[in-house]
Amino acid sequence: MEPVKIGILGLGTVGCGTISVLVRNAEEITRRAGREIQVVQAAARSLKKKRDCDTSGIVLTDNPEDIVTNPDIDVVVELIGGYEPALDLVMKAIENGKHVVTANKALIAVHGNEIFKAAQEKGVMVAFEAAVAGGIPIIKAIREGLAGNRIEWLAGIINGTGNFILTEMKDKGRDFADVLAEAQQLGYAEADPTFDVEGIDAAHKLTILAAIAFGIPLQFDRAYTEGISNITREDVSYAEQLGYRIKHLGISRRVGDRVELRVHPTLIPERRLIANVDGVMNAVLVKGDAVGPTLYYGAGAGSDATASAVVADIVDVVRTLTTDPTNRVPHLAFQPDALADLSIMPIDDVETSYYLRMQVQDKPGVLADITRIFGEQGISIEALIQKEPAEGANVVPLIMLTHRIAEKKMNSAIAQLEALDAIEGKIMRIRCEHLDSNWT
Ligand code: HSE
C-alpha cells in the first residue's frame, strides 16, 4: 500500500521531536498503523536555522500555505502554536480535505467548536492528544477508556512550568522569578510565560478536558483563571505545617446542571498521590462513577514526550482513514448532535474550603471579631495557627483553614475582615480541595 504522506507546520521542539520519533520507531509504527508514514514536506519560519533533527528527504518551505494546499499530503500536523496563522492554516487544510493533527491547546480551546464543525462537514479528522498534558494519553483515556462512565470531576496539574516553580519554591526555597527563568531555558515555558504562571495555558487545557468529560462545547471564555504569582514561600511553608501542598490545579466538576471550570492555586492534602507530582511532571485525576478515581501521570512537555502524543494521533488517523466518518470517535467524545448545554458555574457560586493568611494586631478581642464575621457568613474554622510576634513587632501572622463555603460568602467575609483596624494589609486566600474518592 502507498505510504501515508504527512506535512508538518513548524519545525521547533515538537516538530523536530515528531520527525525523530517517526524515524527512530518507523518499523514499529508501520506495524501498528498498517501503512508506512512518510513526512514529505515541512514548513519553518527560517530555512537557514540549524535543526535538532534530520530533515533529509523532506522538502522544506518557508511558506506554510505550500503544505495545506499540497495535493500529495494526506495529513497536516500543525505544530506552530498560537491562534494565527495556525487557525487559518488548519481551516485551509480541512477545506482541502486533509486530516489534521495538532498540539495547539490555545487553538482548540478557543476555536475548537468551529474547527470540529468544519472537519465534520468535510469528513476529516482533527486529532489533538498532544494539546493536553504533553505525552500523557489523557484525551484517549477520557474519550474512549472511560466511555462507560458518567464523569463526576477531574483535577489536574496541567502546566509543567507552574508545577516546576512551586516544587522548587517548596524544596529549595528558591525565588519565583529565578525558577521561571530556568523553566524558560529548559524549553518548557510558553512563548509568553504569563500564559504559564497566570493559568491561561492550564485553562486552555482544562477547557478541552471538561468538554470531552461532560460532552459540552468548548467554553474557554467562561473558565475562571487565577495564577501562582502571588504565592509566597511563607504560604508554601504554612501549608506544609498544616499537612498540605500547594499545587496549581485545573478543576472541572459537574454540580447539578452546571459545570465548574476553574484554574487556581489549591491546597491539597500531602498524602494524595497528586500532591506528590513534582517538577515539570503533569498528572490528571479523573473520577468516573463506575471506575472511581483514576490517575494519569507523565511528562507534560518536552520534545519527545509531546511527539509521543503527536505520533499516536497520526497512527490513529492512518488506521481510520478508510472508515466511514460517522463511525469515528467523535472529536468531543459525544456525538456532535448530542452535546449538553450544561452552563458553566460562576466562581461566586463555587464551594471550596479555604486557607487564609492575615497579619493581625496582637491584642485582646481580635479573634472574637474575626470569628463573629465568620459566624455571620456561616463559615466554620477547621484549623488555626497563630505565630508568636517577631521581636518588637505587634502584628502576628494568623493562618486558618475553613470548612467548605460558597466563594461569595468568603468574599464578603474577607471584605469585612480587611476593613477591621486590627487586620493589616490584604488577606491571602488560597482555595483548598481534599480530592477524596467520596467527592461527587
Ligand atoms: N508551557 C507548557 C507547560 C508546555 O509548561 O506545561 C506544555 O503545554
Side-chain angles (χ1 to χ4, degrees):
M1 218 189 282
E2 273 279 289
V4 175
K5 298 201 169 63
I6 310 285
I8 297 186
L9 300 172
L11 274 186
T13 315
V14 183
C16 261
T18 301
I19 291 174
S20 302
V21 170
L22 280 171
V23 170
R24 190 165 79 226
N25 299 336
E27 196 222 317
E28 300 226 349
I29 291 168
T30 307
R31 281 168 55 209
R32 289 192 176 103
R35 281 177 72 180
E36 201 190 321
I37 293 166
Q38 238 177 40
V39 179
V40 294
Q41 197 174 21
R45 222 176 319 169
S46 160
L47 298 182
K48 293 203 186 94
K49 199 171 157 188
K50 195 174 158 354
R51 306 279 160 198
D52 293 335
C53 52
D54 180 4
T55 55
S56 51
I58 302 173
V59 177
L60 298 183
T61 171
D62 55 8
N63 181 6
E65 298 270 337
D66 291 349
I67 301 217
V68 296
T69 53
N70 182 340
D72 291 338
I73 286 176
D74 306 296
V75 184
V76 170
V77 179
E78 184 276 305
L79 302 171
I80 299 175
Y83 305 117
E84 285 296 354
L87 175 61
D88 183 49
L89 292 165
V90 162
M91 292 307 261
K92 279 194 180 135
I94 293 171
E95 220 173 277
N96 291 327
K98 303 190 186 313
H99 303 281
V100 173
V101 171
T102 178
N104 191 334
K105 55 249 161 154
L107 180 72
I108 296 297
V110 175
H111 298 290
N113 299 322
E114 56 181 297
I115 291 172
F116 298 148
K117 187 164 176 285
Q120 200 198 333
E121 282 164 11
K122 207 71 196 174
V124 296
M125 284 168 271
V126 176
F128 51 96
E129 182 66 69
V132 182
I136 308 175
I138 186 65
I139 303 284
K140 201 165 196 68
I142 298 177
R143 203 161 57 174
E144 298 175 48
L146 299 180
N149 286 260
R150 182 177 199 272
I151 308 289
E152 293 174 353
W153 54 265
L154 58 90
I157 296 172
I158 43 182
N159 181 268
T161 302
N163 202 43
F164 180 59
I165 293 173
L166 290 174
T167 305
E168 291 287 301
M169 285 172 77
K170 175 179 79 68
D171 289 348
K172 303 184 188 150
R174 286 176 68 187
D175 278 334
F176 181 87
D178 166 40
V179 193
L180 175 59
E182 190 184 337
Q184 282 175 290
Q185 260 171 19
L186 292 169
Y188 294 123
E190 293 301 300
D192 176 352
T194 59
F195 273 41
D196 293 300
V197 295
E198 297 309 336
I200 299 155
D201 176 75
H204 284 145
K205 296 166 181 166
L206 182 70
T207 300
I208 299 172
L209 291 180
I212 60 167
F214 304 117
I216 54 175
L218 295 146
Q219 296 167 75
F220 171 71
D221 54 341
R222 308 294 313 276
Y224 173 79
T225 307
E226 190 180 304
I228 55 168
S229 47
N230 289 335
I231 303 290
T232 65
R233 275 185 267 170
E234 288 73 36
D235 296 313
V236 172
S237 160
Y238 289 135
E240 226 173 348
Q241 291 172 42
L242 289 158
Y244 291 82
R245 300 263 162 84
I246 301 178
K247 292 291 179 191
H248 199 192
L249 287 190
I251 299 174
S252 188
R253 183 165 78 114
R254 189 200 303 251
V255 186
D257 58 1
R258 296 195 291 176
V259 170
E260 294 177 1
L261 193 60
R262 51 191 168 105
V263 172
H264 50 72
T266 314
L267 266 77
I268 41 182
E270 66 187 4
R271 61 185 178 281
R272 296 270 172 273
L273 275 177
I274 195 169
N276 294 282
V277 170
D278 285 337
V280 289
M281 301 307 276
N282 280 197
V284 185
L285 187 53
V286 185
K287 167 93 188 292
D289 71 330
V291 69
T294 55
L295 181 65
Y296 309 84
Y297 168 85
S303 166
D304 273 16
T306 312
S308 161
V310 171
V311 174
D313 271 350
I314 296 174
V315 170
D316 244 7
V317 169
V318 172
R319 280 174 176 153
T320 49
L321 276 176
T322 51
T323 46
D324 169 3
T326 54
N327 289 332
R328 293 181 187 139
V329 177
H331 292 114
L332 291 180
F334 292 70
Q335 296 300 333
D337 58 359
L339 293 186
D341 71 348
L342 304 172
S343 63
I344 305 296
M345 190 188 281
I347 191 69
D348 264 1
D349 293 350
V350 170
E351 285 188 9
T352 67
S353 317
Y354 288 88
Y355 157 100
L356 303 173
R357 175 173 55 80
M358 55 196 95
Q359 295 287 344
V360 303
Q361 286 171 9
D362 191 14
K363 62 179 192 191
V366 175
L367 262 186
D369 282 344
I370 295 172
T371 51
R372 175 184 52 77
I373 290 171
F374 277 174
E376 285 165 8
Q377 294 296 332
I379 300 170
S380 171
I381 297 168
E382 185 184 304
L384 190 144
I385 305 178
Q386 184 183 324
K387 294 287 177 187
E388 279 181 47
E391 190 79 25
N394 69 338
V395 291
V396 289
L398 185 68
I399 295 96
M400 289 179 191
L401 277 184
T402 74
H403 287 284
R404 294 183 82 81
I405 188 77
E407 176 105 358
K408 55 178 168 278
K409 294 206 168 156
M410 182 52 79
N411 286 342
S412 163
I414 288 177
Q416 290 177 59
L417 290 174
E418 285 178 346
L420 293 177
D421 288 339
I423 293 186
E424 304 209 343
K426 297 296 255 180
I427 294 176
M428 178 65 175
R429 160 253 304 272
I430 309 176
R431 298 170 191 85
C432 172
E433 292 292 3
H434 289 85
L435 304 179
D436 55 60
S437 50
N438 299 324
W439 196 34
T440 51

